Amino acid sequence: MVSESKASNTAQGTILSGMRPTGKLHLGNYLGALDNWVRLQDDYRCIYSIVDIHALTTVEDPGEVANIQPNIHEMALDWLAAGVDPERSIVFIQSHVPEVMALHTLLSMVTPLGWLLRVPTFKEKVRQMDETEESVNYGLVGYPVLQTADIIIYKADTVPVGQDQLPHLELAREIVRRFNFRFGDTFPEPQAKLTEAPLILGLEGQQKMSKSLDNHIDLASTAEETTQRVLTAFTDPQRQRRSDPGRPEVCNVYSLHKIFSSARDIDQVYSECTTAQRGCVDCKRHLAGSVNDFLEPLRERRRELEEKPDYVREVLFEGGKRARAIARETIAEVYEKMGLGQPV
C-alpha cells in the first residue's frame, strides 16, 4: 500500500470529489468524471466520496432509502473496476465520517440564506420536484453548505468540475472566505480544476445521457445488453430509406463512433454513411462492437470484484477510517477557533 507520506510527497495538491449513490454507472458518468478521477491519481492526493447524505435530500419514496446500500455497493464496484485505486486514493462513504455533518452545521452559522436561495440548481431541483421554495426540505436548501463541508474538512485545495459547476464552487469559496475572516485562517479556498469531457448525449440524441431518462448504457451491461441498447439509438432523422445518403455530422451514433471506434473505422463509417453504402442498423451494430471492446477490460475487472464482496466492504471501511482521521483533526481545530473547546 502506498503510504500517506509517500503520496503527499509526490502530489500537487489534494483533490476531493464525490458522486451520489445511484447504483451502476453509465458511459456518461465514466467519460464525464470517472476516467478523469483515475488519471488524477497520478498527480494528486485524491479523496473520493460516495455522498449518501446528499442522496437523502431528494428522497421522496421510502423505497428509495432501501436502495441506498445496494447502490453504494454497485457504484463502488464501478469505481474500482475503472481504476480508482484504494492504495493511492481514499475511497469511502460520506456518512461514515460524522464530523462532516458537524462541520456542515457550523458552516451554516456563517452562510446567509440569500446565498443558498440564489443557487441555480436549487431552483431547478424545486421545479423538478414540483414543490415551492417554502415546502422543500432544509437539506435541499443547505446542500451547498454540506458540499462545502465535504471539501474543506479534508483541507482539499482542488475540485475537478465542469464549466457548469463553477458557480457551486464559487459559493464554497465564499463560505470559506467568510469563515476565515470571522475565525482566523483555517481552510484553503478550493480551486477549480476544469475537466474537459465530451458531452455524451443519450440514445435518443437529444439530452445528456441519464439514468432517469433511460437513455443510457451501463458500464456493467453485458455485450448483448449493450448491443440491444445501441440498436435503439436515434440516427439522422432525415434518412428515411437505406438508399438515402446520411449526414454523420448530425447523427449521435456517429458522435459516439468518434469516441469509441478507431480512426480508420471512423473514416470508413463517414464515407459509407454519406454515400449510402452503409445502413443505420449496420452502423449501430458496428458502434456496439466498439463500445463492447472498450468496456470489456473494465467489465472483466468488475466480474472479479463481484466475487469478492468482502474486499469491497473492506476498501470502504478502511477508506472511512483514513478520511475520519483527517476530519477529526479539522473539526478539533474548528471547535477551538469557534470557542467550543475540544470535541469529545
Side-chain angles (χ1 to χ4, degrees):
M1 178 176 289
V2 176
S3 68
E4 285 292 313
S5 59
K6 182 176 180 181
S8 61
N9 287 338
T10 60
Q12 295 180 14
T14 299
I15 289 273
L16 187 286
S17 196
M19 293 184 189
R20 292 161 62 116
T22 56
K24 294 177 180 177
L25 300 181
H26 54 69
L27 281 177
N29 300 135
Y30 179 83
L31 294 170
L34 192 52
D35 181 48
N36 186 50
W37 284 13
V38 174
R39 288 184 278 107
L40 286 171
Q41 295 176 120
D42 294 333
D43 299 312
Y44 291 85
R45 178 178 183 242
C46 294
I47 303 174
Y48 296 133
S49 175
I50 299 177
V51 290
D52 52 343
I53 301 299
H54 282 299
L56 293 174
T57 60
T58 53
V59 166
E60 298 178 317
D61 187 327
E64 295 178 65
V65 175
N67 291 331
I68 290 177
Q69 291 304 313
N71 284 350
I72 287 172
H73 183 74
E74 295 290 351
M75 178 173 282
L77 283 172
D78 282 334
W79 285 12
L80 298 175
V84 173
D85 185 353
E87 294 189 356
R88 292 194 292 163
S89 301
I90 298 177
V91 183
F92 72 106
I93 300 169
Q94 180 190 30
S95 64
H96 288 188
V97 184
E99 287 80 7
V100 77
M101 275 75 86
L103 183 57
H104 167 220
T105 299
L106 296 174
L107 292 178
S108 71
M109 307 304 172
V110 301
T111 306
L113 181 59
W115 289 4
L116 304 177
L117 295 178
R118 287 194 295 269
V119 174
T121 51
F122 168 67
K123 295 181 181 296
E124 177 62 18
K125 284 288 186 183
V126 171
R127 187 191 65 78
Q128 291 175 356
M129 296 172 69
D130 196 25
E131 299 271 5
T132 65
E133 292 187 3
E134 290 75 22
S135 64
V136 297
N137 63 70
Y138 162 74
L140 187 62
V141 181
Y143 191 108
V145 185
L146 179 56
Q147 194 171 54
T148 302
D150 286 325
I151 299 167
I152 66 177
I153 199 164
Y154 307 109
K155 301 291 182 80
D157 50 35
T158 309
V159 182
V161 294
Q163 192 77 32
D164 60 331
Q165 297 169 308
L166 284 176
H168 305 164
L169 187 59
E170 182 53 37
L171 178 54
R173 288 161 53 81
E174 291 280 1
I175 294 172
V176 167
R177 283 194 284 267
R178 178 169 281 209
F179 185 95
N180 287 346
F181 177 77
R182 287 193 180 179
F183 300 106
D185 191 33
T186 306
F187 300 112
E189 290 185 26
Q191 304 297 314
K193 182 172 180 59
L194 287 173
T195 57
E196 295 296 331
L199 173 62
I200 306 301
L201 294 178
L203 295 173
E204 88 297 341
Q206 298 296 320
Q207 301 184 72
K208 188 176 179 180
M209 187 172 284
S210 166
K211 190 172 297 187
S212 63
L213 297 174
D214 194 28
N215 64 359
H216 64 293
I217 298 172
D218 282 337
L219 300 179
S221 294
T222 65
E224 294 76 15
E225 290 168 342
T226 298
T227 299
Q228 290 305 309
R229 294 288 285 179
V230 172
L231 287 174
T232 69
F234 282 65
T235 54
D236 180 356
Q238 292 188 20
R239 192 178 188 192
Q240 300 297 318
R241 294 175 295 276
R242 170 68 170 75
S243 58
D244 294 336
R247 301 176 300 160
E249 65 275 6
V250 301
C251 178
N252 189 40
V253 169
Y254 180 70
S255 72
L256 293 172
H257 268 297
K258 290 194 291 185
I259 296 171
F260 297 106
S261 297
S262 68
R264 179 180 178 181
D265 284 351
I266 293 167
D267 290 342
Q268 182 181 10
V269 167
Y270 187 93
S271 174
E272 294 182 358
C273 176
T274 54
T275 56
Q277 297 179 62
R278 174 189 294 241
C280 293
V281 172
D282 291 337
C283 192
K284 288 190 279 190
R285 289 192 181 278
H286 189 161
L287 173 62
S290 297
V291 171
N292 282 325
D293 288 345
F294 178 86
L295 289 177
E296 181 50 35
L298 182 153
R299 289 169 171 170
E300 176 59 29
R301 290 191 295 270
R302 197 183 199 281
R303 287 191 289 268
E304 293 172 358
L305 289 166
E306 286 176 330
E307 299 299 318
K308 302 187 290 185
D310 289 343
Y311 169 74
V312 177
R313 284 191 288 269
E314 181 183 356
V315 164
L316 296 175
F317 177 75
E318 291 298 325
K321 286 172 57 178
R322 293 168 64 192
R324 194 170 187 194
I326 301 169
R328 281 174 168 162
E329 290 185 7
T330 302
I331 206 70
E333 180 182 1
V334 169
Y335 268 49
E336 181 177 356
K337 288 187 173 180
M338 296 185 77
L340 301 175
Q342 289 299 307
V344 294

